Amino acid sequence: MSRLDERPDDQPDERPEGPSGEPEIRVAGLHKSFGDNRVLRGIDLEIRRGEVVCVIGPSGSGKSTLLRCVNLLEEPTEGRVYVGGTELTDPDVDIDAARRRIGMVFQQFNLFPHLTVTENLTLPQRRVLKRGKAEAARIAAANLERVGLAEKAGAYPSSLSGGQQQRVAIARALAMGPEVMLFDEPTSALDPELVGDVLAVMRMLADEGMTMMVVTHEMTFAREVADRVVFMDGGVIVEDGAPGQVIGAPRHERTRHFLSRLLDPAMADVEEGTSGRAGPQ
């Protein structure tokens, strides 16, 4: 039974909010421009503690930029970002301390090729959190076990599949003890047969109550695991609601058009006249 089956849409979400009743993540009036290119145009978004929110939308819609603004990998042009009640956009904030609460998993795995799997997990713990060697190794081993890769502790990244490398990247983020996890298209660089193992780890984190913001094109994952789905286009949030509503019965034509193209790419080719085929082959 999926989490959505366990919590019907007409039942209130009773998960606790963040400190002092604040959402775990709050974005208010967020704008981001790169020169004359306005990528984000006034985003307002709240994510409660324990919620899984999937952000979907076409390429160039601003979804990855929004994610990167949440931990200030991109500095907003205007607006405010709060995580756990701390304003990351406050000029006086200790941004390094604030970021320790946030785990980030990218499209690419960003593992150090010259370090073993264990060393990839222990290095940031020792440098950033100042943990001792033994403690860092113990935490690394526990998180490799969580993602099903305990037997790969001594391996080097080059000997791992793409899916295994991404699970190591997730374990590395978890080893830092984050309260929030951000995922930027974590399966987009993987061969299709490797996607399932990564999504299974993300399902596990969702079941454990991890607050997660996931930029993804995996509609099955979004439908079955997310508490909410946010559809973005043109730098704005077009639709925000339960997966069954946004994916199953979208209210906006822009959402319907995007989903039809995503779920039936062959039809999108026909519509755009880009297939280049004279007929069935």
Side-chain angles (χ1 to χ4, degrees), residues 35-50:
D36 294 331
N37 183 18
R38 295 178 61 199
V39 178
L40 299 178
R41 301 167 178 258
I43 299 292
D44 295 303
L45 180 66
E46 294 186 353
I47 299 176
R48 297 174 66 188
R49 180 180 297 172

Side-chain angles (χ1 to χ4, degrees), residues 160-230:
L160 305 180
S161 70
Q164 290 172 331
Q165 290 187 59
Q166 190 62 293
R167 283 189 282 158
V168 170
I170 294 173
R172 177 180 58 187
L174 293 173
M176 303 296 286
E179 299 172 14
V180 169
M181 287 286 287
L182 309 178
F183 294 86
D184 187 5
E185 294 278 14
T187 61
S188 65
L190 303 180
D191 292 333
E193 65 269 22
L194 302 177
V195 168
D197 289 339
V198 173
L199 294 181
V201 170
M202 295 171 66
R203 287 173 185 264
M204 173 199 72
L205 295 177
D207 289 338
E208 291 177 356
M210 176 66 74
T211 306
M212 297 165 60
M213 184 175 176
V214 185
V215 170
T216 185
H217 61 275
E218 299 288 347
M219 291 301 105
T220 299
F221 176 85
R223 184 188 292 271
E224 296 180 357
V225 180
D227 296 290
R228 286 163 46 216
V229 172
V230 171

Side-chain angles (χ1 to χ4, degrees), residues 52 69 92 119-120 142 160 173 185 241-242 252 271 278:
V52 178
C69 283
D92 296 325
E119 290 167 341
N120 267 281
L160 305 180
E185 294 278 14
H252 295 269
E271 289 177 355

Side-chain angles (χ1 to χ4, degrees), residues 6-195:
E6 293 171 353
R7 195 198 70 210
D9 288 342
D10 59 352
Q11 295 297 315
D13 185 349
E14 297 183 354
R15 288 179 181 155
E17 294 182 338
S20 304
E22 289 289 328
E24 195 69 18
I25 298 174
R26 181 162 71 93
V27 174
L30 190 68
H31 293 256
K32 177 62 181 179
S33 297
F34 296 96
D36 294 331
N37 183 18
R38 295 178 61 199
V39 178
L40 299 178
R41 301 167 178 258
I43 299 292
D44 295 303
L45 180 66
E46 294 186 353
I47 299 176
R48 297 174 66 188
R49 180 180 297 172
E51 267 195 311
V52 178
V53 174
C54 285
V55 184
I56 64 173
S59 177
S61 61
K63 53 191 188 295
S64 290
T65 299
L66 170 60
L67 195 76
R68 293 172 65 86
C69 283
V70 169
N71 65 354
L72 260 62
L73 288 178
E74 295 288 354
E75 186 173 349
T77 305
E78 182 182 337
R80 297 181 179 182
V81 176
Y82 301 82
V83 175
T86 298
E87 184 187 346
L88 273 64
T89 44
D90 183 339
D92 296 325
V93 74
D94 184 343
I95 190 61
D96 292 331
R99 282 194 182 126
R100 290 170 196 160
R101 308 175 69 172
I102 307 170
M104 181 85 179
V105 178
F106 300 89
Q107 296 179 33
Q108 302 300 324
F109 323 122
N110 299 329
L111 301 176
F112 292 111
H114 62 291
L115 300 180
T116 66
V117 166
T118 292
E119 290 167 341
N120 267 281
L121 267 67
T122 56
L123 181 64
Q125 293 184 66
R126 297 181 67 186
R127 287 191 175 178
V128 177
L129 301 181
K130 308 302 180 185
R131 287 174 179 161
K133 184 176 181 179
E135 181 185 13
R138 175 182 60 80
I139 292 172
N143 282 286
L144 286 174
E145 181 73 31
R146 290 176 76 187
V147 302
L149 290 174
E151 76 283 0
K152 299 295 185 180
Y156 286 89
S158 60
S159 70
L160 305 180
S161 70
Q164 290 172 331
Q165 290 187 59
Q166 190 62 293
R167 283 189 282 158
V168 170
I170 294 173
R172 177 180 58 187
L174 293 173
M176 303 296 286
E179 299 172 14
V180 169
M181 287 286 287
L182 309 178
F183 294 86
D184 187 5
E185 294 278 14
T187 61
S188 65
L190 303 180
D191 292 333
E193 65 269 22
L194 302 177
V195 168

